[in-house]
Amino acid sequence: MSRICELTGKGRQVGNNVSHANNKTKRTFLPNLQNVTLMSEALETSVKLRVSTHGLRSVEHVGGLDNWLVKTSDDKLSLKARRLKRDIAKKLTASA
């Protein structure tokens, strides 16, 4: 399972460990991913996603999963999130 946030696309970053003697060795910085269940108000179902804590705070700030998916471009989203976005868009246009 890859260490990539399904909503923000945030993945691992590469950097250096720097010792006291200024020796540099490569290391990776992994995002803080959590398995969460988010509620979709348009679909009236819960969805399990693997989201970074930064992404989770962003979703809560925007006002929920539906608002986040509508405002986010498809290139950042995972395949599962893109399908969810498409289903939400269909539901919103059908009800409007």
Side-chain angles (χ1 to χ4, degrees):
M1 182 175 277
S2 64
R3 302 281 300 180
I4 297 175
C5 176
E6 291 189 280
L7 294 181
T8 60
K10 180 179 274 205
R12 70 181 183 105
Q13 293 182 323
V14 179
N16 289 316
N17 277 337
V18 181
S19 70
H20 184 68
N22 207 26
N23 297 329
K24 294 170 185 73
T25 56
K26 285 289 188 184
R27 64 157 294 179
T28 58
F29 295 92
L30 298 175
N32 185 6
L33 295 179
Q34 305 294 323
N35 293 319
V36 294
T37 304
L38 298 171
M39 189 70 186
S40 171
E41 290 141 11
L43 300 177
E44 297 176 356
T45 59
S46 58
V47 182
K48 289 185 178 182
L49 295 170
R50 195 150 190 233
V51 183
S52 65
T53 52
H54 172 72
L56 192 58
R57 288 183 60 188
S58 299
V59 168
E60 294 299 322
H61 178 75
V62 171
L65 180 63
D66 298 343
N67 290 338
W68 171 262
L69 290 173
V70 168
K71 293 179 180 182
T72 306
S73 62
D74 285 347
D75 58 337
K76 289 185 179 181
L77 300 174
S78 69
L79 180 63
K80 185 176 180 180
R82 275 183 270 159
R83 288 180 179 153
L84 187 63
K85 180 179 178 178
R86 185 183 64 219
D87 293 343
I88 290 170
K90 282 182 188 177
K91 188 77 167 187
L92 291 177
T93 56
S95 65

